[in-house]
């Protein structure tokens, strides 16, 4: 194998300039050639790599004075085609090259399938590229163009290739002007003009293509503008384009304000609609996911985009989003809070946004829900049983406290008694919620007044301070109980969100872990929802794909829940009836199970196909590799024998001997090649028969040298008679040594001998074949043992590349190994390790046989 590995010199990446046309014939190639003349006049080294003039006289005239890199001719299906000579350009290394028609598909036989891939290689080599492409060839617009024109575009280029260009220049022309150009014969030949004008080049088609090109380039310019503003830390809004941001709360007013914002955006050409929802950073926002999903669908139906940002300060988050997207207008719905709510909580988010909006216009949209907000249904998070228990505690606990504290009236003052009642109200809030705490605070206030505030046993309060104390007690009790109730509900919601997140994280990990993903997912589903059994059924046949059952699951009738999984499976859950809150997480479980099923299906298909692919790769590589190696020695032998048998030539004895030697050497090469191929085939099929016996290393080396048919090869054995025999199959070991030595001779330094040394290491004998060649880099050592591979070579002119692959396979079959080591001082050492055949091994071998 060749080890001429050279590292490519790092170069700057070339710059890409793209002339983007709205349609064929607008003048992209002409503009590109004009740019080439301008650069040439400035002294730049510009060449033409590939230009397609389509018979246009004015374009052909622009080629005068420019250097053209000769094209390659490739034959495909009996027809000759002209293609760009990529290697010729790389060898010429101009400062800039013109490459027309970026989306062109290359004729098979080149290095790349697409011309844009050729351009990428030129740019990587540091060569500037000037190219052209039409908007209909952009991948993202391919289906849109087909709908407009009715003509599919088979040649496309990824948008990212054009988007990354250093310069993009739009070449545009009015539809009427382009049709006049065509009518005058400046685009297509006369026989094609009428058909083109009646089909692709209709005014409506050209207008739509022109708009697509303008919008695509405008988007690219917009990206560049955002990058510029970010680089220069410009926060002010530049009103280059109307962008309307609509803020969504997930409330019922969403549809109204979305439609209003869409109408505002539609009033200006090119207006853009962006909808944004601000989610709490703790994930505890009260917005309805279902309402937000419906509103998102409406936004996208109206041509807008939907976004979610995380932030606790809603005004700041909204304005930051609007400024980041260079929005000019912000649309909000008026508050759903009533007058009392606005009085108690202040101006609200809307007014705060208006005050801080600066150069962004803010629209406050009224709707039917304005001022109709209401307090949340307190206590609705608790179960009915806890709610009843809370009301009972709110009535009974103050009575019990009164009974106990009345006995201690002499030793407790009013403040202590009030605090104890306060603690009781908080306990009721924890049990039953805010409404239960409200009942408890009212009962406690009455009992505190009647039994502990003088004059006692009457609801009359004699001192003003006691009146204030009682009012403060009631207010504090109600406030604290409300806060405790809200904290409890938020804690429950946070705990549930955390549990869901952890469960889904575990699910994702189960899918990624691989082979046992499906059983793990079914088990996780069963345990996560406390079910008795979970089964995955084939929807068509009803067969069970997988199942997880709890130990000792009851056999009684159970609640059954069925969830579709993908297109062909059904998840059946038996056990408790799942509440609605669990359905959302269950859907995520079903999605993960569907992914695991698909992964298993693909893995099965891949496993079935892999042997076929491996055999096909082997067959393809074999045919490509042996085509030269079988033909060359065979042709040489036939030529030598044919010359000797020719009656027209009288060869001198020395010439006859030379021809016989040539024929003999060619036939030996051919025999060795066929033997290698047959052995490799038997090795891969597992049909290689072994006869292991004690084999002296020096004897088998002499036989290997004789098989090389090169008695003068510089191979020097070193003390081979001092090591014990190895346990090996003699013909196979001979083949291994012959192949390894042949490889070493091919890459050895001129005049230096190849050394063959051996030593014993524990129960093994290590045979080293040492050369002084260029060596093999560490990262490439495994590659040298691949069949039909030759390190650094692109062809098979020096052999099929089977030698080392076959040698390692034969060595491993005999219980040995073949590895690569560095030769001290430079070069490569092939280390062949085989079992030592001492007396014990030899006896055991005889008994085995």
């Amino acid at each position: 194998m060749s080890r001429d590995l050279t590292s490519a010199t790092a170069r700057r990446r070339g710059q890409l300039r793209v002339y983007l046309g709205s349609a064929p014939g607008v003048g992209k190639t002409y503009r590109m050639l004009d740019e080439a003349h301008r650069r040439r006049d400035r002294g730049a080294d510009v060449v033409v790599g590939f230009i397609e003039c389509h018979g246009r006289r004015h374009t052909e005239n622009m080629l005068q004075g420019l250097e053209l890199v000769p094209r390659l001719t490739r034959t495909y299906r009996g027809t000759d085609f002209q293609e760009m000579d990529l290697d010729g350009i790389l060898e010429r290394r101009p400062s800039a090259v013109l490459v027309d028609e970026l989306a062109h598909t290359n004729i098979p036989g080149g290095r790349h399938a697409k011309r844009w891939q050729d351009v990428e290689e030129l740019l990587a080599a540091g060569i500037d590229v000037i190219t052209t492409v039409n908007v209909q060839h952009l991948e993202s617009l391919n289906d849109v163009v087909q709908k407009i024109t009715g003509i599919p575009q088979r040649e496309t280029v990824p948008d990212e290739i054009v988007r990354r260009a250093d310069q993009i220049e739009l070449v545009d022309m009015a539809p009427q002007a382009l049709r006049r150009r065509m009518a005058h014969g400046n685009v297509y030949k006369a026989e094609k003009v009428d058909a083109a004008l009646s089909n692709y080049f209709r005014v409506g088609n050209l207008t739509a293509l022109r708009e697509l090109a303008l919008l695509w380039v405008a988007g690219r310019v917009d990206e560049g503008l955002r990058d510029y503003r970010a680089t220069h830390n410009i926060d002010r809004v530049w009103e280059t384009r109307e962008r309307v941001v609509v803020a969504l709360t997930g409330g019922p007013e969403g549809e109204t304000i979305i439609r209003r914002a869409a109408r505002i955006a539609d009033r200006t050409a090119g207006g853009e609609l962006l909808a944004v929802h601000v989610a709490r950073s703790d994930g505890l926002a009260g917005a309805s996911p279902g309402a937000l999903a419906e509103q998102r669908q409406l936004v996208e139906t109206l041509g807008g985009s939907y976004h979610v940002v995380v932030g606790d300060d809603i005004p700041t988050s909204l304005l930051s989003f609007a400024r980041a997207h260079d929005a000019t207008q912000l649309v909000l719905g008026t508050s759903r809070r009533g007058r009392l709510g606005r009085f108690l909580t202040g101006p609200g988010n809307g007014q705060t946004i208006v005050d801080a909006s600066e150069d962004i216009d803010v629209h406050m949209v009224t709707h039917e829900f304005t001022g109709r907000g209401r307090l949340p249904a307190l206590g609705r998070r608790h179960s009915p049983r806890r709610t009843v228990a809370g009301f009972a505690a709110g009535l009974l606990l103050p009575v019990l406290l009164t009974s106990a504290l009345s006995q201690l009236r002499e030793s407790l003052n009013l403040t202590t008694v009030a605090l104890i009642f306060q603690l009781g109200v908080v306990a009721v809030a924890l049990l039953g919620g805010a409404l239960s705490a409200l009942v408890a605070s009212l009962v406690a206030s009455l009992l505190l007044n009647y039994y502990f505030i003088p004059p006692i046993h009457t609801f009359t309060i004699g001192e003003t301070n006691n009146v204030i104390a009682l009012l403060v007690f009631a207010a504090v009790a109600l406030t604290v109980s409300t806060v405790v109730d809200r904290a409890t509900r938020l804690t429950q919601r946070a705990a549930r969100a955390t549990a869901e997140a952890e469960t889904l994280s575990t699910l994702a990990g189960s899918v990624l872990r691989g082979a046992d993903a499906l059983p793990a997912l079914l088990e996780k589903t069963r345990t996560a929802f406390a079910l008795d059994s979970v089964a995955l059924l084939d929807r068509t046949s009803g067969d069970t794909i997988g199942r997880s059952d709890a130990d000792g699951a009851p056999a009684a009738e159970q609640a059954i829940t069925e969830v579709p999984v993908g297109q062909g499976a059904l998840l059946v859950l038996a056990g408790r009836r799942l509440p609605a809150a669990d359905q959302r997480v269950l859907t995520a479980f079903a999605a993960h199970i569907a992914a695991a099923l698909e992964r298993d299906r693909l893995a099965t298909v891949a496993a079935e196909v892999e042997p076929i692919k491996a055999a096909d790769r082997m067959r393809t590589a074999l045919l490509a590799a042996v085509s030269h190696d079988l033909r060359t020695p065979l042709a040489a032998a036939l030529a030598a024998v044919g010359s000797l048998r020719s009656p027209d030539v009288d060869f001198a004895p020395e010439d006859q001997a030379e021809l016989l030697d040539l024929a003999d050497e060619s036939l030996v090469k051919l025999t060795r090649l066929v033997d290698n191929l047959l052995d490799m085939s038997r090795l891969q099929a597992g049909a290689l028969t072994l006869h292991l016996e004690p084999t002296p290393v020096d004897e088998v080396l002499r036989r290997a040298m004789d098989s090389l048919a090169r008695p003068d090869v510089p191979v020097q054995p070193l003390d081979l008679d001092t090591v014990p025999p190895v346990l090996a199959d003699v013909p196979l070991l001979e083949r291994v040594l012959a192949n390894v030595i042949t490889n070493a001779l091919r890459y050895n330094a001129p005049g230096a001998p190849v050394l063959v040394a051996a030593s014993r290491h524990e129960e093994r004998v290590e045979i080293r074949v040492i050369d002084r060649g260029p060596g093999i880099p560490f990262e490439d050592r495994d590659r040298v043992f691949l069949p039909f591979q030759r390190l650094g070579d692109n062809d098979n002119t020096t052999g099929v590349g089977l030698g080392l692959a076959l040698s390692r396979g034969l060595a491993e079959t005999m219980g040995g190994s073949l590895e690569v080591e560095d030769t001290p001082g430079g070069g490569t050492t092939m280390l062949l390790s085989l079992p030592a055949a001492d007396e014990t091994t030899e006896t055991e071998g005889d008994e085995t046989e």
Side-chain angles (χ1 to χ4, degrees):
M1 289 190 181
S2 173
R3 303 164 195 152
D4 304 332
L5 299 179
T6 58
S7 59
T9 305
R11 306 182 180 96
R12 74 161 184 92
R13 182 175 174 84
Q15 293 192 335
L16 178 63
R17 183 186 183 101
V18 177
Y19 287 93
L20 176 66
S22 56
V26 294
K28 306 179 303 300
T29 304
Y30 190 94
R31 293 280 290 275
M32 180 174 64
L33 290 168
D34 185 62
E35 172 66 15
H37 281 283
R38 187 179 66 82
R39 295 195 182 198
R40 186 204 61 180
D41 294 341
R42 290 186 322 195
D45 181 16
V46 183
V47 300
V48 177
F50 188 92
I51 289 290
E52 190 62 68
C53 295
H54 298 288
R56 298 166 189 167
R57 178 170 51 85
H58 296 293
T59 304
E60 291 174 348
N61 292 338
M62 290 292 291
L63 287 171
Q64 296 179 7
L66 296 176
E67 177 185 347
L68 277 69
V69 176
R71 299 183 182 184
L72 291 175
T73 300
R74 290 199 177 98
T75 302
Y76 181 64
R77 294 182 177 177
T79 305
D80 292 338
F81 295 90
Q82 298 290 313
E83 285 283 24
M84 183 177 70
D85 185 1
L86 176 60
D87 291 326
I89 298 172
L90 291 171
E91 183 178 357
R92 170 66 174 75
R93 289 203 57 79
S95 62
V97 59
L98 274 60
V99 180
D100 207 3
E101 298 183 356
L102 183 63
H104 171 76
T105 299
N106 293 330
I107 298 299
R111 190 151 60 245
H112 303 298
K114 293 287 190 176
R115 185 166 291 164
W116 62 263
Q117 295 172 314
D118 295 337
V119 167
E120 284 289 294
E121 185 169 345
L122 292 172
L123 294 172
I127 301 174
D128 294 346
V129 177
I130 308 172
T131 188
T132 65
V133 67
N134 282 325
V135 68
Q136 69 263 26
H137 295 300
L138 294 175
E139 181 66 43
S140 66
L141 301 178
N142 184 259
D143 57 338
V144 179
V145 172
Q146 182 174 352
K147 291 178 182 178
I148 294 172
T149 64
I151 300 175
Q153 301 295 326
R154 295 181 176 85
E155 294 185 328
T156 60
V157 59
D159 287 45
E160 186 60 26
I161 301 299
V162 183
R163 197 181 299 275
R164 288 202 310 260
D166 300 277
Q167 298 179 65
I168 299 177
E169 184 171 332
L170 178 64
V171 183
D172 185 32
M173 183 177 290
Q176 294 79 3
L178 180 55
R179 287 171 59 85
R180 283 196 299 270
R181 284 198 68 198
M182 292 198 63
H184 294 158
N186 294 328
V187 178
Y188 291 149
K189 294 181 180 179
E191 61 270 19
K192 296 183 178 180
V193 170
D194 290 339
L197 290 175
S198 302
N199 293 282
Y200 191 89
F201 287 84
R202 291 187 298 230
V203 173
N205 289 354
L206 296 177
T207 303
L209 292 174
R210 189 184 190 194
E211 183 178 10
L212 283 177
L214 289 168
L215 290 175
W216 195 91
V217 173
R220 176 67 177 85
V221 172
D222 199 42
E223 292 175 7
L225 179 61
R226 284 202 295 268
D227 292 342
Y228 177 85
R229 294 179 64 223
T231 303
H232 294 79
N233 296 321
I234 299 174
D235 295 329
R236 292 179 293 103
V237 174
W238 288 4
E239 299 181 8
T240 56
R241 183 177 177 183
E242 287 289 348
R243 288 185 179 83
V244 181
V245 172
V246 53
L248 302 179
T249 65
E253 76 284 357
E255 181 177 340
T256 301
I257 62 174
I258 289 172
R259 296 186 185 279
R260 183 72 176 92
R263 291 195 294 271
I264 294 174
D266 288 341
R267 289 175 183 171
T268 58
E272 186 176 353
L273 175 65
L274 301 93
V276 59
H277 170 68
V278 179
R280 289 270 301 277
S281 61
D282 57 8
L284 303 178
S288 168
L292 286 174
E294 293 175 359
Q295 291 167 16
R296 174 177 186 163
Q297 184 177 3
L298 176 60
V299 169
E300 293 174 347
T301 301
L302 295 173
S305 58
Y306 180 85
H307 308 265
V308 176
V309 297
V310 178
D312 293 325
D313 189 333
I314 293 178
T316 301
S317 300
L318 274 177
L319 291 172
S320 297
F321 175 86
R323 292 192 176 97
H325 289 76
D326 214 17
T328 56
Q329 302 185 61
L330 183 59
V331 179
L332 310 172
T334 53
S335 176
R336 298 195 304 270
R337 296 174 303 155
R339 294 181 180 179
L340 178 60
R342 291 195 295 271
F343 174 77
L344 294 175
T345 60
N349 293 327
Q351 187 60 47
T352 304
I353 292 172
V354 170
D355 294 340
S357 62
E358 297 179 351
D359 47 3
I360 300 178
D361 296 337
V362 180
H363 300 263
M364 301 296 295
V365 178
T366 58
H367 48 84
E368 59 179 315
F369 302 98
T370 300
R372 295 187 181 182
R374 56 184 180 179
L375 292 175
L378 300 176
R380 64 182 176 186
R381 298 293 181 182
H382 297 292
S383 64
R385 181 176 298 178
R386 285 192 61 181
T387 302
V388 172
F391 278 109
L395 293 172
L396 296 177
L397 184 58
V399 175
L400 295 176
L401 288 176
T402 301
S403 176
L405 296 175
S406 297
Q407 308 299 323
L408 305 173
R409 185 183 292 112
E410 300 298 330
S411 57
L412 298 177
N413 58 27
L414 181 59
T415 303
T416 303
V417 173
L419 290 176
I420 293 174
F421 272 105
Q422 190 81 274
L423 182 61
V425 173
V426 172
V428 172
L430 289 172
L431 176 63
L435 287 180
S436 299
L438 177 62
V439 173
S441 63
L442 293 176
V443 174
S445 299
L446 294 174
L447 294 176
L448 184 65
N449 179 13
Y450 189 84
Y451 285 99
F452 298 97
I453 296 178
I456 62 174
H457 300 144
T458 177
F459 290 105
T460 303
I461 302 176
E463 298 182 9
T464 304
N465 288 337
N466 291 337
V467 174
I468 297 174
L470 185 60
L471 294 176
V472 170
F473 167 81
V476 171
L478 182 60
T479 302
V480 171
S481 61
T482 303
V483 171
V484 169
D485 176 67
R486 176 173 173 77
T488 302
R489 289 188 288 109
L490 292 181
T491 300
Q492 293 172 349
R493 194 183 299 173
R496 181 175 183 83
T498 302
E500 291 178 359
E502 291 176 352
T503 301
L504 295 178
S505 175
T506 304
L507 273 180
S510 299
V511 174
L512 294 175
R513 276 191 291 272
D516 297 325
L518 187 57
L521 284 172
L522 294 177
E523 176 67 16
K524 187 65 180 177
T525 304
R526 186 185 61 78
T527 57
F529 295 100
L531 299 168
D532 295 324
S533 69
V534 173
L536 185 63
L537 307 180
D538 186 287
R539 190 177 298 181
T540 303
S541 64
D543 296 338
T544 300
I545 302 173
R547 189 178 185 90
S548 174
D549 294 297
D551 294 335
E557 184 175 337
Q558 300 169 320
I560 301 295
T561 303
E562 296 182 350
V563 181
V565 175
Q567 298 296 322
L570 189 68
L571 187 65
V572 180
L573 304 96
R576 69 185 183 93
R577 188 173 302 279
L578 297 180
D582 288 338
Q583 296 295 327
R584 177 167 54 89
V585 184
L586 182 58
T587 303
F589 273 71
H592 281 78
I593 293 173
L597 271 177
E598 182 65 12
R599 187 196 61 77
D600 289 347
R601 185 187 68 81
L602 294 176
T604 302
V605 173
E608 294 173 351
V609 172
E610 187 57 35
I612 302 175
K613 290 174 59 181
D616 186 65
R617 286 195 300 267
M618 179 67 71
R619 181 171 59 253
T620 302
L622 176 61
L623 292 175
V626 303
S627 60
H628 175 276
D629 294 88
L630 285 174
R631 186 170 57 247
T632 300
L634 186 59
L638 288 173
V641 174
S643 299
L644 289 172
R645 297 186 60 183
S646 174
D648 300 330
V649 182
D650 186 15
F651 291 99
E654 58 272 16
D655 293 333
Q656 292 181 2
E658 184 177 352
L659 288 173
L660 287 172
D661 289 341
L662 175 61
D664 182 63
E665 183 179 353
S666 299
L667 292 174
V668 169
K669 288 182 179 179
L670 186 60
T671 301
R672 187 167 61 248
L673 173 61
V674 172
D675 288 342
N676 280 344
L677 291 172
L678 292 176
D679 284 344
M680 178 60 75
S681 176
R682 288 197 295 267
L683 189 63
Q684 290 188 336
L688 198 63
T689 303
L690 292 179
H691 178 67
L692 301 180
E693 59 181 344
T695 305
V697 177
D698 53 348
E699 290 184 10
V700 78
L701 176 62
R702 283 195 298 270
R703 297 176 62 173
M705 296 297 300
D706 293 339
S707 69
L708 295 179
R710 295 178 59 182
D712 57 340
V713 291
V715 177
Q716 180 179 342
L718 299 176
D719 302 326
L720 298 184
D721 55 351
T722 61
V723 296
V726 295
L727 190 64
D729 185 293
V730 176
L732 296 187
L733 179 56
E734 176 188 332
R735 185 73 52 78
V736 171
L737 288 175
N739 286 339
V740 173
I741 292 172
T742 299
N743 185 78
L745 290 171
R746 182 178 297 135
Y747 301 110
N748 195 30
V754 171
L755 305 180
V756 181
S759 61
R760 178 164 184 165
H761 182 70
E762 296 182 352
E763 300 302 323
R764 303 185 74 82
V765 173
E766 296 180 344
I767 305 171
R768 290 176 169 82
V769 179
I770 305 165
D771 67 54
R772 292 292 180 180
I776 300 176
F778 181 81
E779 61 272 13
D780 292 320
R781 290 183 178 178
D782 286 336
R783 288 179 52 204
V784 300
F785 294 106
L786 296 177
F788 313 113
Q789 299 288 325
R790 191 166 291 100
L791 202 58
D793 291 348
N794 293 323
D795 57 32
N796 290 312
T797 58
T798 57
V800 275
L802 274 177
L804 292 183
L806 178 60
S807 297
R808 171 176 272 189
L810 295 177
E812 291 175 349
T813 301
M814 294 184 291
S817 63
L818 182 62
E819 304 294 339
V820 179
E821 292 182 348
D822 290 328
T823 300
T828 299
T829 296
M830 289 291 177
L831 174 61
L832 173 62
S833 176
L834 292 169
D838 52 22
E839 293 182 0
T840 304
T841 306
E842 183 176 351
T843 303
E844 291 176 355
D846 293 339
E847 290 176 355
T848 301
E849 294 174 1

